[in-house]
Structure formats: C-alpha cells, structure tokens
C-alpha cells in the first residue's frame, strides 16, 4: 500500500511538472505569435515615417507617428523583444538573411553593408532574421583584355 502511495505521489508530481512546462511553452508560443504579427505594424510605421519625410508631411505629424512607434517598441520590449543591430557587423547566418552580395571597397568581405529589413529576437530566440546586403570586399582589378586582332585570329584559326 505504501509503495502504491509513493508511486501515485511521484506520478502526480510528474504530471504537475509536465503541465507547468506545457503551460510555459503555450505562453511562449502565444507571445511569439503576437509579437511576430505586431512586427508588421512596426515595419509599416518605419516605412510610413520614411515616406512622410520624403513627401514633406509636417514635422508635428511625423513626431506623433514616432511617439506611437516608440510606445509600441517600448511595450514589446517589456516582453523581451529586442532589435538585431546588423549594419557594420560581420554577417552571421544565425541572425542575418543575406538578400544580396555587392562588391565594396569600403566594407570588408563578409561585412554587412546595409539592412533592408530589421530583425528581432524574443529573449534569446530569433523571431525574425534581419535582411541584409553583404559585402564581397573590394572589386578585383579587371583582367587585361586581349587585343581584338589577336582574338579574331584565334577565332578564325579554330574553324
């Protein structure tokens, strides 16, 4: 009887641990889903602010939009959302998604030249990778071209 009681107690303790772990996983997934959906809103704010500056929208309107954007960032930050700083960093495939590779004399090979979409982490988990343009390094000097007469002679000799 005592052995059955000990087994039952152990089973119940395992059940409590499992349900607690499942509840934490559900909460984490729900938070990831909500934050992921709200990233589209943040992207829209960024795009809207950029376009507003280009079109000449009044500074007061832009300031209002910046305040709302910053408030949204602050609220998401309370729940562990953080931006991934990509520009000027070395390309990291765990955090960045390369969408283009461009030669650049200013940026070393493998360095991030520009960020086209901001990336985010939720706690230590990657929520969305930053889309970046990566440098190929300085362009190599063009190979010397063969003289046109020599090229024509070579083509004629092959026939």
């Amino acid at each position: 009887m005592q052995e059955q009681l000990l087994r039952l107690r152990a089973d119940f303790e395992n059940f409590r641990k499992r349900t607690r772990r499942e509840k934490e996983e559900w909460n984490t997934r729900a938070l990831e889903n909500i934050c992921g959906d709200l990233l589209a809103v943040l992207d829209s704010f960024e795009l809207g602010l950029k376009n507003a500056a280009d079109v000449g929208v009044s500074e007061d309107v832009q300031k209002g939009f910046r305040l709302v954007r910053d408030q949204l960032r602050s609220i998401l930050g309370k729940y562990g959302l953080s931006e991934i700083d990509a520009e000027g960093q070395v390309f990291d495939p765990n955090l960045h998604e390369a969408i283009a590779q461009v030669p650049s004399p200013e940026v070393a090979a493998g360095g991030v030249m520009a960020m086209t979409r901001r990336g985010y982490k939720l706690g230590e988990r990657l929520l969305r990778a930053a889309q970046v343009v990566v440098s190929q390094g300085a362009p190599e000097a063009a190979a010397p071209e063969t003289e046109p007469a020599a090229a024509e002679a070579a083509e004629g000799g092959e026939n």
Side-chain angles (χ1 to χ4, degrees), residues 10-26:
D11 287 343
F12 183 68
E13 186 63 31
N14 289 338
F15 171 76
R16 282 185 23 193
K17 288 178 183 178
R18 186 178 69 244
T19 55
R20 184 180 313 125
R21 187 174 54 247
E22 288 173 354
K23 181 180 175 184
E24 289 172 4
E25 287 174 9
W26 275 93

Side-chain angles (χ1 to χ4, degrees), residues 45 49 52-53 56-68:
F45 267 111
L49 283 168
V57 173
S58 79
E59 186 59 35
D60 289 339
V61 172
Q62 291 181 44
K63 184 178 178 183
F65 276 104
R66 272 193 233 86
L67 288 171
V68 174

Side-chain angles (χ1 to χ4, degrees), residues 39-148:
L39 290 182
V41 176
L42 272 177
D43 290 343
S44 296
F45 267 111
E46 294 293 337
L47 185 59
L49 283 168
K50 181 181 175 190
N51 288 337
D54 292 345
V55 212
V57 173
S58 79
E59 186 59 35
D60 289 339
V61 172
Q62 291 181 44
K63 184 178 178 183
F65 276 104
R66 272 193 233 86
L67 288 171
V68 174
R69 178 203 58 195
D70 294 344
Q71 184 180 22
L72 181 58
R73 279 184 181 165
S74 173
I75 290 170
L76 292 173
K78 284 187 213 178
Y79 294 98
L81 187 74
S82 60
E83 297 177 353
I84 296 173
D85 186 25
E87 288 190 39
Q89 304 291 320
V90 175
F91 176 74
D92 180 357
N94 297 315
L95 300 174
H96 307 137
E97 176 184 349
I99 60 168
Q101 224 177 355
V102 179
S104 170
E106 294 88 28
V107 181
V112 175
M113 294 176 50
M115 181 171 52
T116 59
R117 186 180 76 177
R118 189 173 304 281
Y120 293 92
K121 291 172 82 175
L122 187 60
E124 291 301 313
R125 294 183 69 168
L126 180 67
L127 192 57
R128 181 175 82 182
Q131 289 184 341
V132 297
V133 177
V134 180
S135 172
Q136 290 178 333
E140 295 184 24
E145 295 184 27
T146 57
E147 293 182 27

